[in-house]
Amino acid sequence: MPELPEVETVVRTLAPAIAGRRIESAQFTSKFVTPGDREALAANVAGRTVRGVRRHGKFILIELDEGSTLSVHLGMTGRLLVNSAKTAHTYGVFRLDDQSVLHYDDPRQFGRIEWSPARVARLGPDALGIPLEAFLIALRKRSSRIKPLLLNQSFLAGLGNIYVDEALFRAGIRPLAIASRVSRKRAMDLHAAIQELLTLAIAHGGSSISDYVDADGKKGGFQNLHQVYGREGEPCVRCGAPIRKTVVVQRGTHYCAKCQKS
DNA sequence: TGGAATGTTCGGCT
DNA sequence: AAGCCGAACATTCC
């Protein structure tokens, strides 16, 4: 479910529901989602008050008392839902002091709920708001292919498979182009494309491809505005040529062979 | 039935 | 040493 726009939408819908609330109790029931001592984690969370909810890349950071932070990564199919019905894949339950309940659901269990994990510290700058110059300098230093690089969360945090394909299309760059060899002009276009794309996607509540919903259970609408992702064989919105689909680093990759250059 | 799905990590190799 | 690649994690859906 989750790339930066979806995670941001979850944060925005979650924050008003839980900020200022005291967590009466927590319960975790998946050894994958909550590795290690689940009961200790639950005990640590219980009794604390939610000071705020933030995001870095695809991580949701729930700030608790005394500067402590609970991090939630939604993986592929994770959901944080306020006052939803429990399902067969509910692996986290938070009871709040206003009698509301926050559920963490995740069929594939690729998501993680952890206490200030080290991997948050290893994240690169957030994709939304990275300064142009910093982006240009970082790109010039890398000899790897542009798509894998943009998917690398320690390089840039927040983009995933959908938004990388969409951003590269908007900037006219092939997914396999070498990062350091992208012209300054196209690199500037890519930076602008990423900012515009993420901003627009957030305004539409994110993309609901299969089962993404926000904390209130509402779907996003940005999937209707995708220009290449999920449009294999359909005409390019710019030139009319059919959108192609290949595999790059084990991920489905969509692009227009005519509009995107190496 | 096999393959693909919005993600990340790890081991092995170069 | 850094970077690339494939496999693995668990489940659902077509």
Side-chain angles (χ1 to χ4, degrees), chain A residues 145-236:
Chain A
R145 312 269 185 187
I146 190 77
K147 173 158 181 173
L149 184 62
L150 294 177
L151 286 173
N152 181 345
Q153 301 298 298
S154 59
F155 176 76
L156 187 66
L159 296 182
N161 203 38
I162 294 175
Y163 295 100
V164 165
D165 281 6
E166 293 294 319
L168 290 174
F169 172 76
R170 285 167 174 251
I173 303 169
R174 290 273 182 105
L176 290 179
I178 302 298
S180 59
R181 288 198 236 151
V182 171
S183 72
R184 182 179 169 85
K185 158 101 174 66
R186 282 197 196 286
M188 290 175 72
D189 288 348
L190 177 58
H191 178 270
I194 290 170
Q195 304 310 310
E196 290 166 14
L197 178 66
L198 295 177
T199 302
L200 191 60
I202 291 168
H204 285 265
S207 301
S208 289
I209 290 304
S210 64
D211 56 3
Y212 161 73
V213 291
D214 67 20
D216 297 323
K218 280 180 58 184
K219 291 189 175 200
F222 194 66
Q223 65 280 2
N224 300 318
L225 297 177
H226 289 171
Q227 299 182 323
V228 288
Y229 186 88
R231 296 194 64 243
E232 181 188 11
E234 294 175 38
C236 169

Side-chain angles (χ1 to χ4, degrees), chain A residues 237-250:
Chain A
V237 296
R238 195 148 52 192
C239 77
I243 296 301
R244 296 201 193 170
K245 183 177 181 186
T246 59
V247 175
V248 174
V249 282
Q250 306 174 89

Side-chain angles (χ1 to χ4, degrees), chain A residues 13-14 17-18 21 80-87 90 92-105 214-217:
Chain A
T13 49
L14 183 62
I18 71 170
R21 299 268 65 83
L80 276 171
L81 294 164
V82 177
N83 294 327
S84 63
K86 221 172 167 183
T87 73
T90 298
V93 178
F94 302 82
R95 298 190 182 283
L96 307 181
D97 63 356
D98 63 351
Q99 310 312 310
S100 62
V101 182
L102 177 64
H103 281 162
Y104 179 79
D105 294 3
D214 67 20
D216 297 323

